[in-house]
Amino acid sequence: MSRRLRRSSTSPSRPGRPRAVRRRLWAPLSLRSVAGQVFWLQVAVVLLLVVAAAVALVVQARRDSASDARHRSMAVAASFAQGPGVAEALEGPDPTGALQSRIVAARDQSGVAFIVVVDNAGVRVAHTDPTRIGVAVEGPNLLEQLGGVPGTDTAQTSAGRSVVSAAPVLSADGRAVGFVAAGITTGKVGDGVDRQMPVVLGGAAAALLLTSIGTALVSRRLQRQTHGLGPGEMTRMYEHHDAVLHAVREGVLIVGTDGRLVLANDEARRLLDLPADAGGRLVADLGLDAGLVDLLTSERDATDEVHLTGHRLLAVNKRPTAPHGGPPGSVATLRDTTELRSLAGRAEVARERLDLLYDAGVRIGTTLDVTRTAEELAEAAVPRFADFATVELLEPVLRGEEPGGNRMSRAAVRGVRTDQPLYPVGAVITAGPDAPVAAAVAGGRAVLHTDLTNSRNWALDPERGQDILDYGIHSLVTVPLRARGIVLGMANFWRRDTPEPFDEEDRTFAEELAARAALSIDNARRYTREHTLSVTLQRSLLPRALPEQNALDVAYRYLPAQAGVGGDWFDVIPLSGVRVALVVGDVVGHGLHAAATMGRLRTAAHNFSALDLPPDELLGRLDELVTRIDQEQSDGDASQITGATCLYAVYDPVAGSVTLARAGHPGPAVVSPDGRVDFPEVPVSPPLGLAGSLPFETAELQLPEGSRLVLFTDGLVEQRGRDLDDGLRRLADALAAGGGGAGPEETCAAVLDELLSERQSDDIALLVARTRLLAPDHVAAWDVRPHPEAVAPLRAACARQLAVWGLDDYAYPTELILSELATNAIRYGSQPIRVRLLHDRSLTCEVSDGSSTSPHLRRAATTDEGGRGLFLVAQFAERWGTRYTSRGKVIWAEQPLHGRAEGPMGGSAADEAQLAEAILDQWDDAV
């Protein structure tokens, strides 16, 4: 009984367990589930791919077998046709007997279906099928078709459809005497493919099986992930999504194409205060903001577009629903950004302030001009920070001096309007102890006036203060401009059109802005001071006025660089013999060092010119000086090397010639009297300080009277963005424009008008000299015989010449000077001896001889018979000296012509004669 009960209790469960297992196994394959649908779709796709792959493999196998058949048949035909004795057998009396056994052996060894040998007549002379021997080949002559080249084709043969390859048989002399054909039946080709079919089909079945298993595993996993949901289950899932939609903290609206509200979740109803029956109604009838209604009913998209609805700021995003599979219409999301907007506003203000500080740092201090820097501060503040901005600087600051006192000058005014009642630029402002300026300076911080109407101590002038209030200005921040612990001035920021007054954050920002500007202003002040000192030093070292002389009509221009004083210089130096030296030079660099070096070079050039050195020797002395300066200042630092260029020219109005030498300097320009402009070739030597032991070379030019000699520094013709050739071309055009009749002043003006740039980056020195000739009747010369008795006739001739010139009062001292110099030349010099008198602004006596010995003054003893004559010459002449030439030396003495009836020393001729006798009692000359 118990056994029956156990059997009856377990028997129902046994058939149920396999069914449950089968249901679990087949559940992923059911078409009712998403997983089943995916499984059968993938199986179908894989099956199609497997079938396609199998077909492709079969086709490829057949193609490969056919290709192999062609290659094999061709190899057999070609090798047999080229075999030894084949051509001779075809031409022999019994080709069949010679070749039949050979083709049978070749067929058996190669595995082809047949081999045929055909002669020139197209008759089969050998065939693996003996019944075909002697039978002619049907169709056209195959030898002519082959053309001596093997070929392959598929044809119907006695063995069936075959792949046939034919190769010509060539004799020793290259003639085709027949051909050999070998063939493989297509049935034999297909046998290879048939043998591969089981492998192909087995592989395809294995691939299908493996893919099905993999797809089943994927479907089972998908079944677990979707929980086997069917259509009903999916409906419930969307219902859950709808519940979630109404629970989110972001409003969602769906509007149809007809402008009616399709869906609004709970958050959207709360944010927009929608009525309960809003669904299905027109959006325009829901009492929403007009801008929001326009957005919801339009077709345009929106991203974080802010709309004011009631007391809320809503960020709205809107997109169409049609592209995403939904019905026509649009969906919009709403997000409350009221508090976020407030925080974002403050962040935006902070960002704008940072941008303004950055822009101010870039814009303020672009130049080293104090006034311009103050203007840049005002321009940076208006209108982004203030409606009006004014800057006052202490008067010493404007001059580049140390700050001091309480008198300030308004340096900059900037505003959104120009009719403001504020003090204009240039107005002097004196701050009293109660002024906001004094309070700001004393506290070291900005003074904030939120409402100007509640306080009047901000106004320096009550009447003007009332005008400011009447104009509408309502708020003010006064900030001291302090740099390196020194107050330089004040900056005032005013608001009129901006309704918000300045606050504490604005005051802090104003202090930061003023601090940055104050540093730039102080830098500009320091630069102004150094620049002023450099300019003052340079001006003091340059000629204050040109010396008086008649050889040249000279005009000049000197323009210091705007960026800093350089070392350009020029000079006009009168020399002996009515000659004039013109000098133009340029010291490398800018600043006090360049100006000081320029002064040393100019002084040295003056001193060397007093020695009557020729141009090449003078440049050699200057080169030695620059080298010593470098050695004193560089201390082994190559960056401190001075370096300088120079052009030195000596003009002789008697000969009408000019001798030039240059050291690294641009050559001169010459304008002839007819207006033609030339740049003569002058040998160029290295710059001063770099020549070493190299000698300097000179050039001599003959200049007609009225020619203009133009000397200049490189700053005139070389500029940033303009090369030297272009500068010289423009210089030539400017010189030629004035023609030959333009004077030096007009020439200087024309050249600068053409070549001067708006911002000069280098100094410019320009020297224009128009030549004159000393009239021939103002020159007298005599050759002197080397005998003492020749002095008396020389004195007589000198007296007669002075009488012709109307200089009788100068006869005695001139005869005395001339006799002493001539006697010295006769006694101590060598031939040729020559005397010359030059009548110009002074009376010049020159005695030249062929020796290079030079006399010098000394005190003569009481018992000496000689040694006093040269001292007498020095007393009667204003200047005297020795000039060396290539043929010897020239001793010269100049007497000023006062234009009065008196002696050259200011007294009467008789008094001066007595003075001469007294001097001769004590002094004489010696060599």
Side-chain angles (χ1 to χ4, degrees), residues 543-555:
R544 296 179 181 272
L546 297 179
E548 296 181 355
Q549 45 81 31
N550 293 335
L552 296 170
D553 183 12
V554 182

Side-chain angles (χ1 to χ4, degrees), residues 645-647 662-668 711-715 717-718 724 728:
T645 64
C646 183
L647 172 62
R662 59 176 176 148
H665 200 84
L711 281 67
F712 51 88
T713 57
D714 57 355
V717 293
E718 286 186 300
L724 178 61
L728 292 176

Side-chain angles (χ1 to χ4, degrees), residues 481-558:
L481 296 175
R482 183 188 298 271
R484 301 178 177 93
I486 301 174
V487 176
L488 307 174
M490 300 298 299
N492 303 297
F493 304 103
W494 315 74
R495 279 185 178 174
R496 174 186 182 273
D497 297 342
T498 304
E500 297 83 6
F502 290 112
D503 54 21
E504 288 295 331
E505 293 183 357
D506 293 326
R507 179 169 74 170
T508 303
F509 173 78
E511 290 175 343
E512 178 67 22
L513 181 62
R516 298 192 179 194
L519 188 61
S520 297
I521 292 174
D522 191 52
N523 290 338
R525 177 190 67 84
R526 291 167 176 258
Y527 170 78
T528 301
R529 178 181 61 186
E530 180 179 349
H531 184 73
T532 303
L533 290 175
S534 301
V535 171
T536 303
L537 174 62
Q538 189 178 46
R539 294 287 187 187
S540 66
L541 297 175
L542 289 173
R544 296 179 181 272
L546 297 179
E548 296 181 355
Q549 45 81 31
N550 293 335
L552 296 170
D553 183 12
V554 182
Y556 70 92
R557 294 290 188 275
Y558 177 77

Side-chain angles (χ1 to χ4, degrees), residues 263-338:
L263 172 67
N265 69 345
D266 296 340
E267 183 66 11
R269 294 177 180 275
R270 184 186 69 84
L271 294 176
L272 300 177
D273 295 330
L274 296 178
D277 59 346
R281 295 175 56 182
L282 293 174
V283 175
D285 298 338
L286 299 178
L288 302 179
D289 176 69
L292 182 58
V293 172
D294 293 340
L295 174 62
L296 295 177
T297 57
S298 67
E299 296 182 357
R300 67 183 180 90
D301 297 346
T303 302
D304 289 336
E305 189 172 308
V306 178
H307 289 268
L308 179 63
T309 302
H311 60 281
R312 295 187 179 93
L313 285 174
L314 301 181
V316 182
N317 292 274
K318 176 175 173 290
R319 296 291 185 274
T321 58
H324 304 287
S330 61
V331 59
T333 60
L334 312 174
R335 186 173 66 256
D336 191 355
T337 62
T338 305

Side-chain angles (χ1 to χ4, degrees), residues 7 54 56 112 119 189 265 275 322 337 375 400 517 561 638 661 718 764 771 819 862 903:
R7 187 178 294 119
V112 298
D119 60 8
V189 173
N265 69 345
T337 62
E375 293 173 350
E718 286 186 300
I764 292 179
T771 62
S819 62
T862 306

Side-chain angles (χ1 to χ4, degrees), residues 574-581 608-615 617 648 650-655 659 821 834-838 844-855 879-894:
L575 302 177
S576 63
V578 299
R579 297 171 305 136
V580 177
F608 294 146
S609 298
L611 299 177
D612 271 326
L613 296 178
E617 294 186 19
Y648 187 84
V650 176
Y651 175 69
D652 186 354
V654 178
T659 305
L821 297 180
R834 186 175 177 82
V835 174
R836 188 171 69 165
L837 290 180
L838 302 175
T844 304
C845 301
E846 293 183 348
V847 177
S848 61
D849 65 83
S851 70
S852 58
T853 58
S854 175
R879 296 193 308 155
W880 75 279
T882 303
R883 179 173 75 250
Y884 294 94
T885 65
S886 60
R887 295 183 297 272
K889 69 176 183 297
V890 177
I891 303 177
W892 55 271
E894 288 184 2

Side-chain angles (χ1 to χ4, degrees), residues 584-624:
V584 172
D586 184 4
V587 177
V588 176
H590 292 83
L592 292 174
H593 173 71
T597 304
M598 176 270 292
R600 297 178 67 176
L601 289 179
R602 179 172 178 262
T603 302
H606 260 280
N607 294 335
F608 294 146
S609 298
L611 299 177
D612 271 326
L613 296 178
D616 53 342
E617 294 186 19
L618 185 139
L619 290 183
R621 300 290 181 88
L622 292 179
D623 178 71
E624 295 176 0

Side-chain angles (χ1 to χ4, degrees), residues 62 65-74 112-114 151-157 160-166 181-189:
R62 288 185 176 277
S65 299
S67 177
D68 179 69
R70 286 193 298 270
H71 292 161
R72 286 174 57 195
S73 62
M74 176 56 69
V112 298
F114 62 88
T152 301
D153 197 0
T154 302
Q156 185 67 35
T157 66
R161 190 72 176 172
S162 303
V163 177
V164 181
S165 296
I184 299 176
T185 61
T186 56
K188 191 172 183 179
V189 173

